[in-house]
Amino acid sequence: MTRKTRPEIEFSPECQAALDRLVALAHQLAAMLTGDSLSPETGVTDTPPSQALAIGMICFLMRADPEDIHAALFAEKSLGELPFRPFPAGHTRQAPLADMC
């Protein structure tokens, strides 16, 4: 599916709020995976590896085909039927990518 492009687009307030939440979640997940902390002032990750990981997550979302994301999350017997738990209990002690950073 090819996306329509415009030279300039003004996002709706709902879209901007959702994007802000997705960016914040990407930073939280990156911090969880790398074992880094979030800046108390900005809420973003503190180190270049975790910042790069968060940027990669957002780039992935922006480049993924919307139909694939819709099918993966909203189709019958899809990921959308799993319980929503972005941060499992004890996630702050788990950092599977920490040794790689």
Side-chain angles (χ1 to χ4, degrees), residues 39-58:
S39 168
E41 296 87 32
T42 62
V44 299
T45 50
D46 289 322
T47 65
S50 57
Q51 289 174 346
L53 185 57
I55 290 169
M57 291 179 202
I58 296 301

Side-chain angles (χ1 to χ4, degrees), residues 61-81:
L61 278 178
M62 302 210 48
R63 297 297 304 165
D65 187 324
E67 291 179 8
D68 289 340
I69 291 177
H70 187 272
L73 296 175
F74 299 108
E76 187 176 334
K77 296 185 180 180
S78 69
L79 295 173
E81 295 182 14

Side-chain angles (χ1 to χ4, degrees), residues 11-21:
F11 295 116
S12 70
E14 295 85 7
C15 175
Q16 188 61 54
L19 185 58
D20 291 344
R21 288 189 301 271

Side-chain angles (χ1 to χ4, degrees), residues 25 29 32 83-88 91:
L25 179 60
L29 290 172
M32 178 187 80
F84 179 68
R85 295 184 322 150
F87 298 102
H91 76 276

Side-chain angles (χ1 to χ4, degrees), residues 5-10:
T5 58
R6 297 186 215 173
E8 293 182 32
I9 184 169
E10 191 171 320

